[in-house]
Each structure stands twice: as structure tokens, then as C-alpha cells.
Amino acid sequence: MSNRAGTVATPEDLVDIDALISAYYDLTPEMSDPAQRVAFGTSGHRGSSFKSSFNDAHIAAISQAIAEYRKGQGITGPLFMGKDTHALSGPAQDTALEVLAANGVTVLLDAADGFVPTPALSRAIIVHNAKPANTAQADGIVITPSHNPPADGGFKYNPPHGGPADSDATGWIANRANELLEGGNKDVVRLSLEKAQAAETTGTYDYLGSYVDELGDVIDMEAIASSGLKIGADPMGSASVAYWQRIAEQYKLNMDVVNPQVDPQWAFMTLDWDEKIRMDCSSPNAMASLIANRDKYDIATGNDADSDRHGIVTPDHGLMNPNHYLATAIDYLYRNRTGWAQDAGVGKTLVSSSIIDRVADSLGRALVEVPVGFKYFVDGLSKGTIGFGGEESAGASFLMRDGKVWATDKDGIILALLASEMTAVTGKTPSQRYAELTRSFGEPAYARVDAAATREQKAKLSKLSPADVTASELAGETITAKLTEAPGNGASIGGLKVTTESAWFAARPSGTEDVYKIYAESFKGAEHLAQVQKEAKALVDGVIA
């Protein structure tokens, strides 16, 4: 850990906002550099204007590509568009509006000219498309790099199902955007910002009011209010600042909104493990100020910049490990949501803790294990065939109390509120309940480490088959499964997962660095986990050599 991790940022740590925005307009990408091309990962296109990877040219090309994609898919309804509090999000929204308006796309911006959390935009799409009168389907754009540092920008597309776009959609959009950029954006049509804002196709939507008004349909807000719990909600300078203030007022909660200011430099933040400002609500360093004040609250929570992720802090434990909270949330929800279908499964990514498997089994619920990426939960949440979908990186969503779809993208706000509901209803904090679960199912030791790999080795890892693994034992236990496809949907995991009776590991290539990631877990303790990690690396290195 760096020696300043967990301490408040100093002036030297802060980004120059004027220079950042100037670079957005002044710099153009060099298309021969792969790092400067449009590339959609699991959370859209990300980059920084300083690195010529997130600039006006990129956003103009992506927006033109989205307009053409919509036309090709027959999507003719409104496009909901919102931004988070990163400095580049405002300029990117302006660029996108100029292009979308020129293409005749109806765009709905925030009615208060404020910030829009990812879950509020996902919810807006779902509500619009669920109305029989709205035969023209809507989609959306969220402008956010999530918890990335202040110098970064991000641009995500959500199709009519309201969740993250699949690789077919993002691949087409990225390829077309790069074609446009290679042609100097000559085929991008565009209006001036003034004309785009005044266009008949440009309208507004009350994201905040619509989202907050419906929260009682997904969370037992009455139970939280009547309990009198003292709650600390830290938006971390995110798009949900105004949302938490409205939630506290509207539902009469005993809540402090911590760090209510919006500052594109995030000068109030504590530094992450690498001494960078990063709004990671699952990081004990980024959450250090809230953790230090945990005794002031019965429950305290944090969100990242677009509020699709959550962090849970309890007075008896501090910041909960995301896997631990997912397990307790699943246990609580399936025991208390009587409006959910009895056959609604439990959705998890294959690198999430296996204590979730044991909880699901105890509940008599089917486990739906999918590759990394929230897009794999969209269909199940839409149809109600899963009640909950969660990732080990502190992102999740779940159904409304009556079993209908709420949001098909991650919702850090409802996961934060759920912690208060759980405490109010059960009289136990989520960390206390997790301790009870470990007494029933065992206490897992979980960690992720990186291992060096060349580009060729990473490519080989992503294309492995179970037959490539000849080992029969892992850390003294018989191997029970060798997976290169997810059991829940048969989709490729882009790597390998190996399981035993009490342990497992998964190896996946990094998309940005010359490493592969080893996720591992053991129910036999830290020493056995270290053995699993050591043998996992040797096994993978031997297969991809």
C-alpha cells in the first residue's frame, strides 16, 4: 500500500479542469495508436482527453454510430441521456446532443439540468417501454467512467431492455465509430449546440422525481423510516447527491447526506491504494473518511460516480467485502420478498464467492452462474426468472417487491437502502448476519492476484477448452469441474474456472494490461487459499506456455 493511501487528497493530486476540458476539444486521436481508438469494454468506451482517448472527435463518432445503429435496429422512440459528475461528462453530453439532434433523434435530458445516476436512466427506459401506448421503443446513453479518476470520461449505450448493451451492439458501434474517425468524421452530421438545444427533438425528463417516487415499490421505505435508524449516505460527489437529499426528505429518514458537494476535482476524497483519486466505494482507502465515522451511524453507505455500485459500512465491522454483502442481501431478499416467483433463481458471476452458492442451496433456489458482465443478468431480471443479479465488484440489482423488473443495470442506491431495510427488519446489521451465515456455511478466504502474461498467452487463455487442463488435483483436493463456459447460460467465460469441494480459482486475461487475473477462494482458510493461488498460477502458466 502506498504511504498516502486513505489520506485526503492534496492540491498536487488534483486535476486541472480547464486544461482537461481544453484537451477534450483541442486534441484529436491518432488512429494508428490502439489506445486512442474507440473500444467498448464491459462498461462502454472510457479514456481521458489528456491521452487523446476521450475527446470531442470520439464522442461525435460514437454518437453518429449510435444514431445509425438505432436506425438499423428500428429503434424510433426517445433516447434518454444523462451524465455523471466527471468534468468531461458535460462536454461529452453537449457533443452527443449536437450529433443526435442533427440525426433527428429525440433526446430527453435531465429536467433540472442535473446529474443522472445509471440506475435512474435504466429505470426510465424500462418504464417508458412498459407502457402499451409507447409503441416506439426507447434506449439510452449514460455518460460516465464509473469510479475512474477525475481526468477520465466514459460513454455507455443501453438498448431498449435498459441494461448494458451486448457485445454485438457495442462491437458494431465501436467499429462504425472507428470508421468515421478514420475518415476524419466527414460523415458525422452535427448542429451547433445552440440549435441542438433548441431543436424540437430535444426534451427533458424528471429522472430524479420519477426514480425517487417509485423507491417504495422496490424497498420497504416505511420500515426504514419507522425504525429511526441513523443512516449516513455518502454519494462521494456522485450523480446521486441530489437523489439522497430527496430520499431523506421525501421518506422522512433519519439520514445525514455525507459529502453532499459536487466537485469535479474530488478534492475531499481520500486517496486509493495507488495514491490516485478514485471513487471506488468498495475500497477501504477511498471510503476511509466514512469508515472513520462509522460509530456515528447504524448503517453508512457509499456510491461511485454514476451510483451503480455500493459500499456498506457497519459500526460493528467497518466496510463489508462486496461478496459478503451480496450473500447477506440474497439471503434476506429471498426470505422476505413474498411477491417473487418461487422459482426465481439467484444470479451471480462466476468469480463471486461460493458462499452465495451455499446460501442459494439453503433457500432451495437455482443458482444462475454467468460470465463477468452485468449484461448477462438483463434477460433474467427482465423476465423475472432471477430475482437478484450481482457481481463481486459491488454491483447488483433485484426485482421490485411484486416480482416485476426494477432496473436492468446495476443500482447502487437500492443496494445501499437495502442495508438499512435489512437492519430495520431483522435488528441485525448485514455484517452481523454475514457472521451468522459463516457459522452455517463456513468462512471463505477470497482474493484476486495478477500474473504476467504476453498478448499471445492472454489470447490462448481466452480460448481454452476443458480438455487443455490435464491436472486432476488442486491444492490437495480432487478437481470437480473444469469450466470454460458459464454453467448458467453456456456463454464463454473468456478464461478458465477450476473447482474442488472446498475451493476454486478462475483465470481471465486483462483487457488493458499484460497480465491475467487469478480469482481464488478457499473454505479451508488463508493458508489453503495461498496454496490454491500458487498451484493455479502454475497450472495456467503450463497450459498457456
Side-chain angles (χ1 to χ4, degrees), residues 315-385:
D316 55 280
H317 178 80
L319 179 65
M320 289 190 71
N321 178 292
N323 275 308
H324 300 177
Y325 181 58
L326 292 184
T328 59
I330 290 165
D331 177 74
Y332 174 83
L333 286 167
Y334 285 85
R335 294 183 188 279
N336 289 273
R337 292 299 191 261
T338 56
W340 289 9
Q342 288 300 306
D343 60 352
V346 177
K348 60 163 276 193
T349 54
L350 57 83
V351 296
S352 300
S353 174
S354 286
I355 197 168
I356 294 171
D357 306 37
R358 299 182 182 194
V359 169
D361 183 64
S362 73
L363 295 166
R365 299 284 182 160
L367 185 73
V368 182
E369 191 173 18
V370 300
V372 174
F374 203 80
K375 63 186 177 183
Y376 295 109
F377 296 127
V378 170
D379 188 61
L381 289 170
S382 297
K383 296 176 180 176
T385 55

Side-chain angles (χ1 to χ4, degrees), residues 238-458:
S238 74
S240 62
V241 167
Y243 286 67
W244 283 111
Q245 293 169 334
R246 177 74 67 85
I247 290 167
E249 295 167 3
Q250 186 164 323
Y251 292 99
K252 298 179 173 57
L253 303 184
N254 184 16
M255 176 184 287
D256 290 340
V257 180
V258 185
N259 289 327
Q261 66 267 43
V262 172
D263 172 14
Q265 290 183 308
W266 272 277
F268 59 86
M269 279 292 297
T270 51
L271 301 176
D272 206 359
W273 63 273
D274 55 357
E275 297 188 3
K276 291 184 178 180
I277 296 174
R278 187 180 288 109
M279 291 61 69
D280 183 354
C281 48
S282 65
S283 165
N285 297 308
M287 292 277 280
S289 60
L290 190 62
I291 296 170
N293 290 302
R294 70 192 195 192
D295 291 334
K296 293 182 179 180
Y297 304 106
D298 297 307
I299 283 288
T301 62
N303 294 117
D304 64 340
D306 65 320
S307 301
D308 69 342
R309 298 174 69 197
H310 59 273
I312 309 300
V313 176
T314 66
D316 55 280
H317 178 80
L319 179 65
M320 289 190 71
N321 178 292
N323 275 308
H324 300 177
Y325 181 58
L326 292 184
T328 59
I330 290 165
D331 177 74
Y332 174 83
L333 286 167
Y334 285 85
R335 294 183 188 279
N336 289 273
R337 292 299 191 261
T338 56
W340 289 9
Q342 288 300 306
D343 60 352
V346 177
K348 60 163 276 193
T349 54
L350 57 83
V351 296
S352 300
S353 174
S354 286
I355 197 168
I356 294 171
D357 306 37
R358 299 182 182 194
V359 169
D361 183 64
S362 73
L363 295 166
R365 299 284 182 160
L367 185 73
V368 182
E369 191 173 18
V370 300
V372 174
F374 203 80
K375 63 186 177 183
Y376 295 109
F377 296 127
V378 170
D379 188 61
L381 289 170
S382 297
K383 296 176 180 176
T385 55
I386 62 171
F388 180 99
E391 298 183 315
E392 83 296 336
S393 55
S397 187
F398 51 88
L399 300 178
M400 292 196 290
R401 295 162 74 182
D402 64 1
K404 295 178 182 176
V405 60
W406 168 254
T408 49
D409 213 327
K410 293 173 286 191
D411 191 335
I413 297 174
I414 65 168
L415 266 296
L417 286 168
L418 181 66
S420 293
E421 180 190 329
M422 293 166 63
T423 307
V425 172
T426 68
K428 301 170 185 175
T429 66
S431 52
Q432 289 170 335
R433 178 55 183 151
Y434 179 73
E436 293 179 341
L437 292 178
T438 62
R439 287 194 286 273
S440 297
F441 306 119
E443 186 169 1
Y446 177 102
R448 195 201 92 185
V449 295
D450 294 342
T454 65
R455 182 174 297 183
E456 293 74 22
Q457 289 172 326
K458 291 195 299 178

Side-chain angles (χ1 to χ4, degrees), residues 80-111:
F80 292 91
M81 184 160 68
K83 63 184 178 183
D84 78 353
T85 51
H86 277 80
L88 290 175
S89 295
Q93 180 169 277
D94 290 345
T95 300
L97 181 63
E98 292 170 7
V99 174
L100 294 168
N103 280 275
V105 176
T106 297
V107 178
L108 298 180
L109 303 173
D110 184 63

